[in-house]
Amino acid sequence: MGRISEIYTSYKSSLDLAQDEYEDSVRTGSKNAREFYDAFFKDLTINMGKKLESKDFVDMITDEIERFFGKRDLSFIAVDGSCDKHTSGEFISFYGGAYGAKGVLSLSKDRASVEYRRWEIDKDVSMVAFVPIPYSRIHEVDHGGSEEEGGSPRNIFAASESDKLVLTSMHLPIMQLAEVFLAYNSATSSNLDSPDIILIDNSLSGMLGYNDFKADSIRLVGKKVHGVEMFDIQDAIIAHAHPFNGDLNVPSTKHFTEKASILRFLHENGPGDVSMDMISRMDMPRDRLERALKRLQDEGIINRDSGTITQVRDVYKSWENTKVTFQRVCKAIFVDKRENALKFDAIVEGRTVTKWMSPDDVKFLIAVGLRALIEECWSKRILLIGIVKDSASTYLTKNYLGVCRHFGKYDQIADKKFGILPPTDRMFCELLPYIDDDLHGPWGTIEFDSTFMTLRVVETDGRTDFGGTFGGITRPECLFLRSIGQFYIRRNTESPLTGHAIFIDRLAFPAWDGMAEKVEIDHKTVGRMSPLFYESNQTMNKGQLATYYLLNTLTKNHFAEMIGYPDPLHKADQGAKSMRDSVRQLLVSSEIKFRSRPLINTLREIRRSFGR
């Protein structure tokens, strides 16, 4: 007992020391944050709290909302997901699903109001998938490539623990796929049924980056699912180039998206031939243009002959067929709930065998669905917003400000040295209402391009330089605008009461962001690119004002655990968790099914087959 007492005492001392160090770092960071805020960052905050008490200000925002949507009564859907898994001795079961909360936000009355609506009885409000996989079939979910795909034959004596580790994460991409499919299904409804606002409890820019893919590494390419021909390699290459938006120049002609920008040109031009003179007008150096065209020809998408470019694969039709295939596969998984919906047919040694999709295969479907969702929202002017409650990121204070400062923006901090700020952007922003008594909710930071999340500066020997990208690529610029906002601050007490700062991704729109400022970046690691940004609160950003006003109206602060968070997402979260809790009991009870047919019976059959 004495030895155990020493262990507890030692751990308590270590814990006290760690807590003291943490609190000291917060105090130091807070002091530095105040100096940084007063000297510079105050001009990067959008303080709407007091302004919303002005009828003229509210009328200006609601007029802008009406101009954008063409109406003042806006339908919305909030999407949240849940997932679970259960392991037993012989198999592993997964659940992934998404739930949607639906309603109408009315701005046509004297006072904005929110009314929730029931889903029609013929429309499934939830997207749910169940996937039980026996451990004996885990080898079908490998990542190493199969024999028919150029991989080496599996060694039957090799350990398969790595396959088990890969498989244990399957429920997470299934959940994300359910979220994307539910949102896309809603957006592609008729114009009368499709929502005006889609809220997703996830970082949309982060989801797009995390589910990126290389077309030649997807096992679904060239396969069949339930007899339906899947995407071939050309379809996957074309899908990866999306989303397309000529008004926002998405994708741009930077190093990483040269092929994609050419495919956008062909998509917009139609199926006919294109002369080399026409395509040479693209803002791309001739040598890079030639290399990109050669790669597209080698990949079987175009053909060049006597200065004419012909589409071997119709770029427009390919994308339309890919979207249809995506919907068919997701319908089989989530709506029809087919027992083998996550399986595909492959050819091994001349015979057809059935394999399970891997997490990477599901991520590929997520990437296709998210790209299709973005374009649908552009087409119908659906305001797509992603929201994250918790994040330990420093994309604002490190990536964005660091890169802008390096490329000649924010001269006021170019030659100044500031102390170390709080360790995360969320902690820094949540500290600001305690520093500035005039800061009232809702307030937020200026918006910046989500591509800054993949750009960085590095410091070597006291010298700062542009460090290129994380992972060697950048996310498409001019796609999502990111900010950090706070929607609950109460100041009628000695110390302010505040809700969490939340991270907001807003889809960029030409009507709002076509004339936004741009940071001109020209570096050997990324080429030329021009991310969007709003330099300060002196720049009118109608898209952010409208988004924050709508989110503030949807934030009712009725639930103590969700103060400062939009109510529709809370209702979606409750629905998703309720589904998960019900399914969890189902997954656990599935062991009864296996116990009802014990393996000993199968072993006896095998023994009899041997003539014993």
Side-chain angles (χ1 to χ4, degrees), residues 184-365:
Y184 183 66
N185 229 23
S186 301
T188 52
S189 301
S190 68
N191 288 328
L192 295 177
D193 294 333
S194 62
D196 301 300
I197 305 169
I198 296 178
L199 304 172
I200 299 182
D201 187 20
N202 216 320
S203 167
L204 297 173
S205 54
M207 191 190 300
L208 189 66
Y210 179 72
N211 293 296
D212 203 7
F213 62 91
K214 292 183 178 179
D216 56 1
S217 67
I218 303 302
R219 299 192 313 160
L220 288 180
V221 167
K223 304 300 190 302
K224 286 186 178 181
V225 177
H226 306 297
V228 177
E229 290 285 351
M230 292 296 286
F231 329 89
D232 60 21
I233 187 66
Q234 288 81 18
D235 293 327
I237 292 170
I238 293 168
H240 188 263
H242 285 261
F244 292 163
N245 190 312
D247 293 328
L248 290 173
N249 194 32
V250 177
S252 69
T253 57
K254 67 176 184 295
H255 281 350
F256 307 112
T257 52
E258 293 164 342
K259 284 197 315 179
S261 62
I262 294 174
L263 289 173
R264 171 167 66 88
F265 181 91
L266 298 175
H267 180 99
E268 294 171 346
N269 188 72
D273 294 347
V274 177
S275 69
M276 193 62 194
D277 289 338
M278 287 179 62
I279 208 164
S280 295
R281 298 170 192 168
M282 297 181 64
D283 183 23
M284 192 187 308
R286 183 66 181 229
D287 59 332
R288 286 170 46 203
L289 177 63
E290 291 287 347
R291 284 197 300 268
L293 289 171
K294 184 178 186 307
R295 289 168 61 193
L296 288 172
Q297 181 165 336
D298 293 342
E299 291 164 345
I301 297 177
I302 66 169
N303 185 44
R304 296 181 61 186
D305 183 27
S306 302
T308 300
I309 296 171
T310 304
Q311 295 183 40
V312 177
R313 173 62 56 89
D314 189 315
V315 176
Y316 177 84
K317 285 185 178 179
S318 170
W319 178 234
E320 293 302 308
N321 292 336
T322 295
K323 290 188 290 186
V324 170
T325 305
F326 164 79
Q327 284 188 295
R328 285 179 179 173
V329 173
C330 288
K331 182 176 181 292
I333 297 171
F334 297 111
V335 180
D336 301 335
K337 298 176 178 58
R338 296 186 186 177
E339 60 272 15
N340 291 325
L342 284 173
K343 287 187 174 182
F344 63 91
D345 297 332
I347 305 298
V348 178
E349 297 180 347
R351 60 190 180 90
T352 300
V353 297
T354 302
K355 286 180 171 286
W356 288 95
M357 295 183 195
S358 72
D360 283 348
D361 296 324
V362 179
K363 288 179 182 178
F364 169 62
L365 293 174

